[in-house]
Amino acid sequence: MKGIRRCLLMASILLAAAPAWSFDFFGLFGSDDADLERLLASAPAETAWFTAGHSDLDSYRFVQGDPLYQGTPFNANQGPLEELYGLAEGSPGMSLLVRMYEDFMVQMSTQVDLPSYYGIEVGDYYAFYLDGLMPVVRMVVSDPQTFVQRWEEAANDLEATAKTRQIAGLTVQQWRLTPVQDDNQINLALSLDGDIATLTLINEFDSDERLAQRFGRANADESLLDSDTWDSLGKEYDFDTLMRGYVSLAEVSKALLHPHTSLMGRDLQALMPSQMADLNASISANCADEWQGLAQSVPRLVYGIEDVDVSADRIVQSLRFILEMNNQNVTTELAKLPGSLPAYSADASDKIFAVAAGIDLNALSPVITALWTEFSNARFTCPELVEMQTALRNGLNPSFAGMINGVLPGFKGLGMAAFNLEPDPQSPTGLSGSALVSASADDPVNLANTLRASAAAFYPIPQIPTNGDPVAVPMPFWPQPIYLAIKGSHLVAYTGEAAAQAADDLTDEPLNRNGTLAGAINMPRFGDAMIDAMPYFELPIQGDCEASYLSMLAFSDLPVEYTYRETYTERGWEAVMNGKIEKVASEDYQIEPGQYQTSVLGGDCQWYPDGTETLSADGSGHYVQIDEQQQCELYTLDYQWRQNGNQLLQDSESGQSRDRCGQSLSSVEVEDYQCTILGMSEDGFYCLYDAGLDTEMLMYYRR
């Protein structure tokens, strides 16, 4: 049984992510409404998970033209891929999915025309959904022969021979997904019906009618096309055709509580009979009905892309999530809670990160009282729900929220931002930075007085002027001064110039009701800050240290900014995530010829001097390693170098070596080297050597 759950989980993830969403992100899919209708006609309207959409050619060209993606190698021996193959051991079907994912990553790294390589044309929809418990991916392919060829090549590499069967007159290839020792058999299946490819799972309990529908040879009795789901997501929520979808909490609960009425429920009963029997035996009929009624009040988590703006130098994308709530009394009350979110929490361009939480404390007590009353007055006969209701009546006193407002009168929100973090030899910690904390309220003077009164017994805080002037807080053990000030409707604490400017900007910023939570992160700034702070972290194990450096370097190379905001509205809980990807100029990612001092990351997470390397403009290179006393050359290497994307290639010509000073240099056999360029900056760059050496080695080249 564990094998079934493992296979379903992994296959669902790979089915959804690798063939469809990965392609969609890089623009392999486009749009044709007639094609989408063909895909949705066989998709059951009661599906618990649905996503469909397309991308555009501009997005694909943007990514393919970015220097960061040019020549990026894919290491087939990297940890995540090895772990996936480990999970897939004993399962030809799962191994095939992993092999296709590996091939996709390899082809991305070689800059092939991905759509043509897989037989897909930009301009075609995809659809992913659950048919009962079985995940289904359907897509239009422009070159069916090439599409099938890629799967056959992957299967041949694994020596995974497919079994063929006929389903409603259609030839289907299948590979066993569950291990042989499992009682139930689930297979990965692939078919081509004209120009539509279907990748799905089939199990031994599937009827001929279910299989005909799953492979598009028959329409569903009540399909997503019939229910007008796609169009309603666009009309009701203004989602773009780029991507729309939902997860149905109501359908999942129905599958668990009333399995005989649900495709997913019947699949669960067939594949996990004892577990479902135990679950249903433990829930009475009236409890199942009442729990289902609660689930119906929060029926779906819907999501979709609102907009994508592609220009020559950036992609900006907005993705919205909405947890639908059908109880108007509840949504009306929750919509009163959002508080004030500072503007700096919605802008990642000038900082490392920012977070903010907003809540109107004036509304908190009335809202909790209303919700408490709503649930307390609901009529339940289910013992478990009656017990919960009684415990709520007896154990929750809504007046506690009023007490909080009494301590923090008129409180509207709290925010924090970190603007920079960098090495500082004058600082006792070796680091300095700039950060801001702000609290918003109807009257921030009351907050200031509460802060001073609360801290008086531990640490005296000076009187804070009400005219906006800052006052320094004496902090003898803190490496740089901290200031407190009242800026308009905000009480602020800050350190550093960037934070001081952000604090001043709050002076004219009015209170708002923009949400309950917000955040922003600038990936390059975050990576750079963590790299600067790494020498002060205790990471004694080399594997952890190198992995941490590589992760932070990956962030610093990723020209991406994210912002996030959530709130409550009359529709329910809503969240919006915006992402911006900047294109890196080719000249900004080119190695400058010159002389570099090299250092090597040691096993104790310290950097050790290694030598001097000269990269000449004519393509010649020279490396010299000096002994510890800096008295003589122990090793020299002459080579020809070139850069291919983010790869530094070194074709060695001759080398000389000796064990110690006083000996003569002797010619030695040389090898070619290759490293991946990381963390390019004006001062130099990092390079991860993974070719020509026994083990990976991270080096830093400083100009």
Side-chain angles (χ1 to χ4, degrees):
M1 208 57 62
K2 289 182 179 179
I4 289 180
R5 290 194 290 269
R6 176 173 66 105
C7 291
L8 286 175
L9 176 61
M10 182 176 174
S12 295
I13 293 172
L14 287 174
L15 277 171
W21 290 348
S22 295
F23 287 163
D24 177 53
F25 179 81
F26 291 106
L28 268 67
F29 290 111
S31 58
D32 187 309
D33 289 345
D35 288 340
L36 180 63
E37 291 178 0
R38 288 194 293 159
L39 299 178
L40 299 185
S42 58
E46 64 176 272
T47 182
W49 187 9
F50 164 69
T51 301
H54 66 88
S55 190
D56 56 28
L57 186 60
D58 290 337
S59 299
Y60 173 70
R61 286 174 173 167
F62 180 95
V63 175
Q64 292 295 91
D66 196 305
L68 284 177
Y69 296 90
Q70 296 174 1
T72 303
F74 179 73
N75 182 1
N77 297 319
Q78 60 182 310
L81 192 63
E82 291 179 343
E83 292 175 8
L84 285 175
Y85 273 120
L87 287 172
E89 187 174 356
S91 169
M94 292 203 322
S95 296
L96 180 59
L97 287 175
V98 177
R99 179 67 186 89
M100 286 299 292
Y101 165 72
E102 178 185 357
D103 180 68
F104 177 78
M105 298 303 294
V106 169
Q107 301 312 320
M108 276 191 59
S109 70
T110 58
Q111 289 294 289
V112 302
D113 181 358
L114 282 173
S116 298
Y117 178 82
Y118 287 105
I120 298 170
E121 183 177 342
V122 176
D124 298 325
Y125 269 106
Y126 73 91
F128 166 80
Y129 54 88
L130 292 181
D131 177 19
L133 199 60
M134 301 293 104
V136 183
V137 175
R138 306 194 71 216
M139 65 189 80
V140 177
V141 293
S142 59
D143 187 347
Q145 183 176 355
T146 297
F147 183 83
V148 171
Q149 179 184 346
R150 298 306 171 212
W151 286 90
E152 290 178 345
E153 290 171 349
N156 291 336
D157 290 343
L158 299 171
E159 298 182 353
T161 303
K163 293 183 179 180
T164 60
R165 62 182 290 186
Q166 295 294 311
I167 295 177
L170 186 68
T171 300
V172 176
Q173 294 180 293
Q174 62 183 40
W175 298 264
R176 181 161 183 142
L177 198 70
T178 48
V180 176
Q181 64 270 21
D182 271 29
D183 296 333
N184 296 321
Q185 180 173 333
I186 297 178
N187 295 322
L188 174 70
L190 173 68
S191 74
L192 271 173
D193 188 0
D195 61 346
I196 294 182
T198 301
L199 185 65
T200 186
L201 304 184
I202 58 179
N203 66 75
E204 57 189 301
F205 302 104
D206 281 325
S207 65
D208 291 341
E209 291 77 13
R210 283 282 300 278
L211 290 177
Q213 174 191 311
R214 195 169 303 157
F215 286 93
R217 303 293 280 184
N219 292 341
D221 292 338
E222 175 83 25
S223 72
L224 286 173
L225 182 62
D226 298 328
S227 65
D228 203 30
T229 299
W230 173 260
D231 288 338
S232 67
L233 287 173
K235 293 174 183 176
E236 186 172 354
Y237 297 110
D238 200 28
F239 292 150
D240 198 283
T241 57
L242 294 165
M243 193 262 282
R244 304 171 187 171
Y246 65 83
V247 174
S248 175
L249 306 179
E251 289 295 339
V252 173
S253 66
K254 184 170 72 172
L256 295 173
L257 299 170
H258 299 95
H260 59 284
T261 67
S262 160
L263 284 175
M264 176 181 282
R266 290 193 289 273
D267 281 350
L268 286 169
Q269 287 179 317
L271 294 170
M272 292 180 274
S274 60
Q275 289 92 333
M276 288 297 293
D278 291 343
L279 173 65
N280 296 134
S282 67
I283 302 176
S284 63
N286 64 316
C287 280
D289 290 341
E290 290 180 355
W291 280 111
Q292 178 67 20
L294 290 176
Q296 291 286 0
S297 67
V298 189
R300 298 186 305 180
L301 174 67
V302 299
Y303 51 86
I305 292 176
E306 291 188 316
D307 185 38
V308 172
D309 180 24
V310 183
S311 62
D313 58 355
R314 69 184 60 182
I315 293 180
V316 180
Q317 179 172 291
S318 178
L319 177 65
R320 182 176 293 272
F321 301 86
I322 302 167
L323 182 62
E324 298 174 325
M325 298 181 183
N326 291 337
N327 189 322
Q328 187 175 357
N329 292 335
V330 172
T331 57
T332 298
E333 293 302 322
L334 291 176
K336 299 174 183 177
L337 288 179
S340 189
L341 299 174
Y344 65 74
S345 66
D347 180 11
S349 64
D350 61 346
K351 60 184 66 70
I352 300 171
F353 70 89
V355 292
I359 184 169
D360 186 348
L361 279 190
N362 292 332
L364 182 60
S365 181
V367 168
I368 291 179
T369 300
L371 296 178
W372 180 82
T373 303
E374 177 81 15
F375 186 70
S376 297
N377 292 339
R379 294 186 177 183
F380 297 117
T381 59
C382 173
E384 290 88 350
L385 287 172
V386 171
E387 183 179 350
M388 288 175 55
Q389 193 177 48
T390 302
L392 182 66
R393 287 193 187 118
N394 298 334
L396 177 63
N397 186 351
S399 64
F400 83 93
M403 296 171 58
I404 297 175
N405 191 40
V407 176
L408 299 171
F411 180 85
K412 292 296 189 290
L414 183 70
M416 185 190 75
F419 291 87
N420 53 62
L421 181 67
E422 53 197 23
D424 183 357
Q426 306 301 319
S427 170
T429 63
L431 295 168
S432 65
S434 184
L436 166 69
V437 176
S438 67
S440 305
D442 291 328
D443 186 357
V445 175
N446 287 334
L447 290 184
N449 292 336
T450 301
L451 175 64
R452 294 184 67 241
S454 302
F458 308 99
Y459 196 86
I461 295 177
Q463 182 71 36
I464 304 173
T466 59
N467 63 356
D469 290 343
V471 59
V473 180
M475 299 285 286
F477 302 107
W478 196 256
Q480 58 191 77
I482 295 177
Y483 298 93
L484 290 172
I486 295 174
K487 302 289 187 178
S489 299
H490 316 275
L491 174 64
V492 299
Y494 61 88
T495 182
E497 293 183 5
Q501 181 59 55
D504 286 341
D505 292 341
L506 287 172
T507 302
D508 299 320
E509 184 174 310
L511 297 175
N512 59 66
R513 300 189 66 252
N514 285 345
T516 55
L517 190 65
I521 186 168
N522 184 305
M523 290 301 190
R525 284 175 174 259
F526 177 76
D528 290 342
M530 292 300 99
I531 290 170
D532 288 337
M534 282 290 288
Y536 305 95
F537 296 161
E538 294 184 4
L539 294 170
I541 302 175
Q542 181 178 3
D544 290 345
C545 180
E546 182 177 291
S548 297
Y549 264 103
L550 292 177
S551 297
M552 295 305 105
L553 286 167
F555 282 137
S556 70
D557 277 342
L558 193 63
V560 177
E561 299 173 12
Y562 291 111
T563 60
Y564 173 86
R565 182 178 64 86
E566 65 180 54
T567 190
Y568 289 101
T569 71
E570 292 291 343
R571 300 190 297 195
W573 171 88
E574 300 197 27
V576 177
M577 184 170 68
N578 296 305
K580 180 170 71 174
I581 305 175
E582 299 278 358
K583 178 168 287 187
V584 177
S586 299
E587 57 270 19
D588 292 340
Y589 218 77
Q590 291 295 318
I591 293 176
E592 290 289 337
Q595 188 177 83
Y596 294 84
Q597 300 299 317
T598 59
S599 303
V600 177
L601 183 64
D604 56 359
C605 210
Q606 299 296 315
W607 289 95
Y608 291 94
D610 174 67
T612 302
E613 197 147 354
T614 303
L615 303 173
S616 301
D618 62 3
S620 62
H622 183 67
Y623 170 75
V624 176
Q625 189 179 68
I626 308 295
D627 72 311
E628 292 183 1
Q629 289 73 35
Q630 305 291 304
Q631 293 180 344
C632 70
E633 298 177 355
L634 294 180
Y635 180 76
T636 66
L637 176 68
D638 290 302
Y639 56 86
Q640 294 294 316
W641 73 277
R642 66 188 187 280
Q643 182 179 353
N644 179 23
N646 66 352
Q647 294 296 293
L648 174 60
L649 308 173
Q650 300 170 340
D651 300 325
S652 299
E653 296 177 336
S654 62
Q656 292 184 312
S657 177
R658 57 184 167 189
D659 295 329
R660 61 182 183 274
C661 297
Q663 291 182 335
S664 299
L665 287 166
S666 301
S667 297
V668 294
E669 186 176 345
V670 296
E671 296 184 23
D672 295 336
Y673 298 96
Q674 178 177 332
C675 67
T676 302
I677 304 165
L678 302 164
M680 178 77 72
S681 70
E682 294 180 357
D683 297 328
F685 60 93
Y686 294 83
C687 222
L688 178 65
Y689 281 87
D690 52 8
L693 299 172
D694 295 333
T695 59
E696 287 186 345
M697 181 176 68
L698 183 62
M699 295 185 66
Y700 180 52
Y701 286 69
R702 181 182 293 277
R703 291 181 63 85

